Amino acid sequence: MADQVSNTTTTATSSATKEITQYLNVNNAKLVALAMVFAFILYHSTLHFKYGNDSCKWLMSEGRFPGSDSWQPYGCMMHKYSKADARTCMHYVSYWGGHNHIAFIGDSRIRQLYHEMVDLISEGGEEITDTKVHHDMHYRDNKINIKIDFLWHPMVNASMYDVYHKWLKSDQPGARPNVVITGSATWAIKLFNGSTLASKNFQSNLTMIKEMYNKLQDSTKVVWMLQDPAEEDKLSENRKMITNEQIDKYNKIAITVLQDSSAHLWSSSRLVAQGLKKEEFSTDGLHLRKKALEIDTQMLINMYCNNDMNHNDGTCCNTPERATTLQIITGVAFIVCMCISGGLMLYRRRVPRNGNKARTAENGQRNGTNGTQKDYNETFWEIITSLAKMGLIMAYFYLCDRTNFFMKENKYYTTLNFCLPFAYIMILGFFFTENTDKVTVLHRDQTDEWKGWMQLVILIYHLTGASKVLPLYMHIRVLVSSYLFLTGFGHFCYYWDKGEFGFVRYCLVLFRINFLVVTLCFVMNRPYQFYYFVPLVSFWFLVIYLVMAIPPHVTSESSEANPIQYLYMILKFVALIVVICLFYLSEVFFEKVFLTRPIKALFVTSDDSIHEWRFRWQLDRFSPVYGMLFAFGYKVLVRYRIVKDDSPNNLFSNPISWSLCGLSIIGIASYAVFSVLCSSKIQCNEVHSYLVFLPIISFILLRNVLGCLRTRYSSFFAWFGKISLELFICQYHIWMAADTHGTLVLIPSYPVLNVVITSFIFIVISHEISVITQSLCTYAVPQELKALLRNIIGFIAVLLPLCYFNGLLL
């Protein structure tokens, strides 16, 4: 009886588990992600309709402190301007026919901002020749054609009105300032002891001056700075009446009067003052310390310069780039595919398909053809629906990273922000550890696992902005090199074992690697070199193919028949290393080859520079070679039975195996010590290509020498490893933002929840793109050489006009 109850319980549990797993799958996750995307589009449409989509308004109104000393505006990215950046901005404005004239009008708090702005822009700091406190100040710099004025008007009264009236009446070019930063309250509170009459006068005078703001709006942007709070316990006796209650009262009056005017209310400066620690806020209870002034000045310079400088990490007050003709054409093509796909979907629902399939099979048998041959209608349906899905995904890409529809925020690194998600994914990876029936060194399950956890670590590294930490930077460089190592290892093993050097497989691999990137180049208006990893992998795949395909063909079969083939392979390696060294040592030769048209377009950035390609190439110039050499050595050792990987046992005897594991740990630790002791990125990068084999080989030995480790893998990491290429590329636009310089924000003000949601959407989209790529690969690269050449000619026919009109052939 007990056994029956136990069996019944087990059956019920199994049934419940199957019912749950029936709904927890990738396809349902994609439907959920699609629904979430449409929900967020509706949500952000409502936000834009209700509050507008002016990122300048977001910059000057709201924000938070994500870290101890970093300020994050609401919904947009703020670039940190150096002195050189600020002066370059002023020079650009002047060069394009504008004039730089910034005026500060107000009391001593506004004067603090004036001093900080001048200090940021001036070459040698501001020289104060007048020691008077309550007077006007002026700064001029003819090199960058800038004027910055401070006008002492601590109260909103007739004298302040006269300043605007004078500007309004002036017809001289450049007499009116581009931007006016003004604000007032504390003097009125102090002189009139916080009386009600003073506040009423403040309201009536500001109402009068408001009309000047409206009349000047075509030439001058007026920014009214709300009053920062005071620290009442630090105020001197003659300022005790300047309470926060009074300050709030005057701020409310200013908001009420100016909310329907052309003046821009600046309230985020008040949030900065409130968010700073008390010891960092003020010495006298009224004036701001350096840190708050720096943040306020950065907000002002972002407001003034971002649209002219177009920094990648400065989206506040920056107009999105306009769509190019190529982007419009690409968009129209995808829309046509989506319309055709929608029409076919409706048609297929109305017309029974089973009868058509049976009739097709019957006609095929009558005509002597194979009834199982794929229906051309089905082929067209699969191609057009795949392209339609790709078009829908590309629309999301464009919406995320080429418009201001979704918000973007800066990345901020903290040790906790990096370590927490790192620990979380590692725990998940180890939790989903399983046995595998594969026993060879670097078998498929293991390489998928390796690619998966490396990609997840790289994603965390990019999201948290950890590149500023040199040891982390160097370890991530090892992970990127490991990908190229695996490229050399995997392709060498294929050609060595299979001996197939056909053109079809070469095109198949290239299409698989490049389809998404080429599509993004068209949709996102970015050069091929922008997605630097794909050009690297594609280039080294070509090199590996040439090394293995150029006669004599050295394979496993040929080397067994004639051992002299091993010597030929070694000579090929020597020639490859010599050529690589030649490219590295001669910059002229390097540029002569890679700047040759029309291939130049593949290796230069948008500013026509090859520096990025040379930097990436030389950083990992030996990594694929290390992979090929390791594969060659491994195959030789297996051939002569020195390494036995045909069973789940250790590769060597126990003493040797454990000794190799110990040496592997020492090798990994040695590189970690090097990364800590290395003094600069330049120094580290110079020796990276020579040392990177040490941690890679050490990891491989540690992972494979012991049979108990070689025959287990993490299915969690392996799943991500199968879509690692899509994850690496898609992160640029739909997980991070502004071409990886910031993060995408779907849920503002909730950073942790936002990362969870954007990560979920990003992962399922990457998986869907992988599925689409595999589906289209079958038709884009057919096995028949004649059909393949037809497709290549068609691709070139489309590509040539695009290259010609973009000046890539001249």
Side-chain angles (χ1 to χ4, degrees):
M1 184 67 180
D3 292 339
Q4 291 179 353
V5 173
S6 177
N7 291 336
T8 303
T9 304
T10 303
T11 304
T13 304
S14 176
S15 177
T17 302
K18 289 182 178 180
E19 187 175 352
I20 293 173
T21 55
Q22 182 181 356
Y23 296 101
L24 294 177
N25 55 56
V26 176
N27 291 330
N28 286 340
K30 291 174 183 178
L31 294 176
V32 172
L34 181 63
M36 292 174 70
V37 168
F38 282 115
F40 283 120
I41 290 175
L42 181 61
Y43 170 66
H44 283 266
S45 298
T46 305
L47 289 181
H48 290 315
F49 178 77
K50 188 174 181 180
Y51 302 107
N53 60 350
D54 184 3
S55 57
C56 259
K57 185 177 180 181
W58 303 346
L59 170 69
M60 307 303 283
S61 60
E62 293 185 48
R64 70 181 194 280
F65 279 99
S68 58
D69 59 349
S70 55
W71 175 254
Q72 173 59 60
Y74 175 82
C76 66
M77 297 166 59
M78 191 169 74
H79 176 73
K80 185 173 178 59
Y81 277 82
S82 63
K83 188 181 293 289
D85 287 341
R87 292 184 65 82
T88 301
C89 164
M90 303 304 163
H91 177 74
Y92 279 174
V93 173
S94 174
Y95 179 80
W96 293 109
H99 69 282
N100 299 299
H101 186 184
I102 303 173
F104 293 82
I105 305 176
D107 53 16
S108 55
R109 285 180 160 186
I110 300 296
R111 185 177 62 214
Q112 282 187 291
L113 278 176
Y114 163 80
H115 284 302
E116 191 65 30
M117 179 66 78
V118 170
D119 184 61
L120 175 63
I121 292 176
S122 63
E123 286 185 312
E126 180 192 11
E127 296 183 5
I128 302 176
T129 56
D130 195 336
T131 57
K132 293 181 180 179
V133 178
H134 302 156
H135 71 301
D136 297 346
M137 297 180 179
H138 307 280
Y139 170 81
R140 302 287 185 272
D141 190 335
N142 294 328
K143 291 182 181 179
I144 55 177
N145 190 23
I146 187 172
K147 296 190 298 182
I148 305 179
D149 298 323
F150 169 71
L151 306 179
W152 174 256
H153 292 281
M155 297 182 63
V156 179
N157 53 21
S159 65
M160 184 180 286
Y161 177 88
D162 290 340
V163 173
Y164 295 104
H165 188 265
K166 179 182 177 181
W167 285 335
L168 189 62
K169 294 298 182 182
S170 176
D171 295 328
Q172 295 181 0
R176 300 178 185 177
N178 305 64
V179 178
V180 173
I181 296 93
T182 183
S184 178
T186 57
W187 270 70
I189 298 171
K190 175 183 174 182
L191 292 181
F192 297 99
N193 201 25
S195 67
T196 304
L197 180 61
S199 63
K200 290 182 178 180
N201 288 335
F202 175 84
Q203 182 173 359
S204 60
N205 291 337
L206 188 59
T207 303
M208 178 178 61
I209 293 177
K210 178 183 73 171
E211 299 303 321
M212 293 291 104
Y213 296 163
N214 294 334
K215 293 177 181 178
L216 288 168
Q217 63 178 325
D218 293 335
S219 59
T220 303
K221 182 175 184 176
V222 178
V223 177
W224 180 272
M225 182 179 180
L226 296 181
Q227 293 296 300
D228 296 332
E231 289 192 71
E232 298 179 14
D233 55 336
K234 292 184 180 180
L235 293 172
S236 58
E237 287 300 324
N238 64 337
R239 290 175 175 168
K240 286 294 185 182
M241 68 290 296
I242 307 177
T243 63
N244 286 322
E245 182 181 355
Q246 284 290 328
I247 289 175
D248 290 342
K249 180 180 179 181
Y250 276 74
N251 281 337
K252 289 178 181 178
I253 292 173
I255 293 171
T256 303
V257 173
L258 299 177
Q259 63 182 355
D260 60 344
S261 71
S262 62
H264 300 261
L265 290 169
W266 184 12
S267 57
S268 54
S269 62
R270 179 178 173 84
L271 298 177
V272 170
Q274 290 174 335
L276 287 173
K277 297 177 182 178
K278 286 190 175 182
E279 58 268 21
E280 296 177 348
F281 175 63
S282 174
T283 54
D284 59 6
L286 186 64
H287 297 99
L288 297 177
R289 280 186 181 266
K290 182 75 172 176
K291 185 60 189 178
L293 290 171
E294 286 178 351
I295 295 174
D296 289 347
T297 305
Q298 286 293 330
M299 281 193 269
L300 290 176
I301 201 73
N302 270 262
M303 178 194 72
Y304 188 84
C305 290
N306 276 2
N307 208 33
D308 294 300
M309 293 293 286
N310 199 27
H311 291 292
N312 289 325
D313 61 344
T315 61
C316 297
C317 304
N318 195 353
T319 305
E321 61 184 54
R322 293 183 178 180
T324 64
T325 303
L326 180 57
Q327 286 176 294
I328 295 173
I329 293 173
T330 305
V332 170
F334 276 127
I335 290 173
V336 170
C337 291
M338 285 187 275
C339 292
I340 295 174
S341 177
L344 286 176
M345 189 179 298
L346 294 175
Y347 174 78
R348 287 162 68 91
R349 286 188 174 183
R350 294 184 60 183
V351 177
R353 296 173 58 194
N354 293 334
N356 290 342
K357 286 185 177 181
R359 199 175 301 115
T360 301
E362 183 181 351
N363 293 335
Q365 292 172 357
R366 287 178 181 175
N367 296 329
T369 60
N370 186 0
T372 61
Q373 186 177 1
K374 197 163 187 178
D375 188 359
Y376 286 107
N377 291 335
E378 289 297 316
T379 299
F380 180 73
W381 162 255
E382 190 170 350
I383 293 174
I384 206 69
T385 51
S386 296
L387 291 175
K389 291 177 183 177
M390 197 68 182
L392 195 63
I393 292 172
M394 289 299 107
Y396 179 66
F397 271 74
Y398 188 88
L399 197 64
C400 287
D401 212 24
R402 289 295 171 268
T403 69
N404 282 340
F405 186 80
F406 292 130
M407 301 173 184
K408 304 169 182 65
E409 291 186 353
N410 297 89
K411 296 187 286 189
Y412 297 98
Y413 172 79
T414 64
T415 304
L416 186 64
N417 284 348
F418 179 84
C419 291
L420 273 182
F422 176 80
Y424 182 68
I425 65 164
M426 287 300 160
I427 292 171
L428 278 176
F430 286 119
F431 181 78
F432 288 98
T433 301
E434 300 177 3
N435 290 321
T436 177
D437 56 353
K438 300 178 177 65
V439 295
T440 57
V441 173
L442 289 179
H443 53 75
R444 183 59 181 269
D445 289 338
Q446 188 181 136
T447 54
D448 283 342
E449 174 203 81
W450 193 2
K451 291 178 182 178
W453 72 256
M454 286 195 303
Q455 184 57 60
L456 292 176
V457 173
I458 291 173
L459 290 176
I460 296 172
Y461 169 84
H462 284 161
L463 184 70
T464 56
S467 59
K468 61 184 71 174
V469 182
L470 187 55
L472 286 178
Y473 168 81
M474 291 309 300
H475 283 84
I476 296 301
R477 290 257 43 91
V478 172
L479 299 189
V480 175
S481 300
S482 299
Y483 271 100
L484 295 173
F485 179 96
L486 288 174
T487 297
F489 177 87
H491 291 304
F492 180 91
C493 289
Y494 177 85
Y495 291 124
W496 179 270
D497 293 335
K498 303 291 185 181
E500 296 179 6
F501 305 99
F503 183 64
V504 173
R505 182 183 182 272
Y506 174 77
C507 293
L508 197 69
V509 174
L510 274 188
F511 181 89
R512 174 71 179 84
I513 296 173
N514 288 274
F515 171 69
L516 174 58
V517 165
V518 172
T519 305
L520 286 175
C521 289
F522 290 168
V523 173
M524 306 302 288
N525 190 31
R526 288 296 176 266
Y528 181 65
Q529 193 56 224
F530 176 77
Y531 308 93
Y532 72 91
F533 183 71
V534 170
L536 267 179
V537 174
S538 301
F539 171 79
W540 285 114
F541 172 63
L542 172 61
V543 170
I544 296 166
Y545 177 76
L546 292 177
V547 169
M548 301 301 291
I550 292 176
H553 294 163
V554 183
T555 64
S556 175
E557 184 178 350
S558 66
S559 60
E560 287 182 15
N562 186 7
I564 195 67
Q565 294 281 322
Y566 292 126
L567 177 61
Y568 296 153
M569 193 69 248
I570 293 173
L571 291 176
K572 284 190 175 186
F573 281 128
V574 172
L576 174 60
I577 293 173
V578 169
V579 172
I580 291 173
C581 292
L582 179 63
F583 272 94
Y584 173 69
L585 295 174
S586 176
E587 188 172 349
V588 175
F589 180 58
F590 184 91
E591 294 183 356
K592 185 71 174 177
V593 172
F594 291 109
L595 289 181
T596 302
R597 293 183 183 274
I599 66 170
K600 173 185 175 181
L602 301 176
F603 302 106
V604 296
T605 53
S606 55
D607 57 355
D608 207 40
S609 171
I610 201 173
H611 171 75
E612 183 70 15
W613 167 247
R614 179 168 175 79
F615 169 73
R616 300 288 183 182
W617 178 88
Q618 70 182 24
L619 201 59
D620 287 306
R621 62 187 180 276
F622 293 127
S623 298
V625 183
Y626 293 146
M628 297 174 70
L629 285 170
F630 181 83
F632 177 65
Y634 163 64
K635 293 296 182 180
V636 172
L637 292 177
V638 171
R639 166 72 177 80
Y640 290 100
R641 304 296 295 171
I642 299 174
V643 171
K644 300 178 181 179
D645 64 348
D646 53 357
S647 69
N649 300 323
N650 297 346
L651 294 180
F652 307 96
S653 63
N654 286 342
I656 296 177
S657 296
W658 285 105
S659 298
L660 287 175
C661 289
L663 290 175
S664 300
I665 295 173
I666 294 174
I668 295 172
S670 299
Y671 188 87
V673 171
F674 159 75
S675 67
V676 173
L677 297 179
C678 194
S679 59
S680 67
K681 283 186 178 181
I682 295 176
Q683 180 188 8
C684 292
N685 289 335
E686 285 180 353
V687 298
H688 168 79
S689 60
Y690 304 108
L691 294 181
V692 71
F693 77 92
L694 180 62
I696 295 176
I697 300 299
S698 297
F699 174 79
I700 293 174
L701 292 177
L702 185 64
R703 188 72 177 81
N704 288 272
V705 167
L706 298 179
C708 60
L709 295 180
R710 192 172 70 255
T711 55
R712 289 186 66 81
Y713 80 108
S714 169
S715 58
F716 177 80
F717 289 142
W719 188 89
F720 286 97
K722 294 174 182 177
I723 58 170
S724 58
L725 180 67
E726 287 76 16
L727 289 171
F728 191 90
I729 299 169
C730 292
Q731 65 170 320
Y732 281 78
H733 303 298
I734 61 170
W735 194 48
M736 289 179 281
D739 299 331
T740 74
H741 291 88
T743 59
L744 179 68
V745 178
L746 298 179
I747 306 178
S749 303
Y750 295 92
V752 176
L753 179 61
N754 179 72
V755 169
V756 173
I757 297 298
T758 55
S759 300
F760 171 72
I761 296 174
F762 155 62
I763 290 169
V764 297
I765 284 180
S766 299
H767 186 275
E768 180 62 20
I769 290 177
S770 177
V771 173
I772 292 172
T773 303
Q774 292 174 9
S775 175
L776 291 176
C777 197
T778 306
Y779 305 108
V781 189
Q783 294 298 313
E784 298 81 7
L785 186 59
K786 183 178 180 181
L788 175 60
L789 292 176
R790 177 202 63 201
N791 290 355
I792 293 175
I793 293 172
F795 177 72
I796 294 175
V798 173
L799 198 62
L800 278 177
L802 298 176
C803 294
Y804 177 78
F805 286 113
N806 284 276
L808 302 179
L809 300 177
L810 303 176

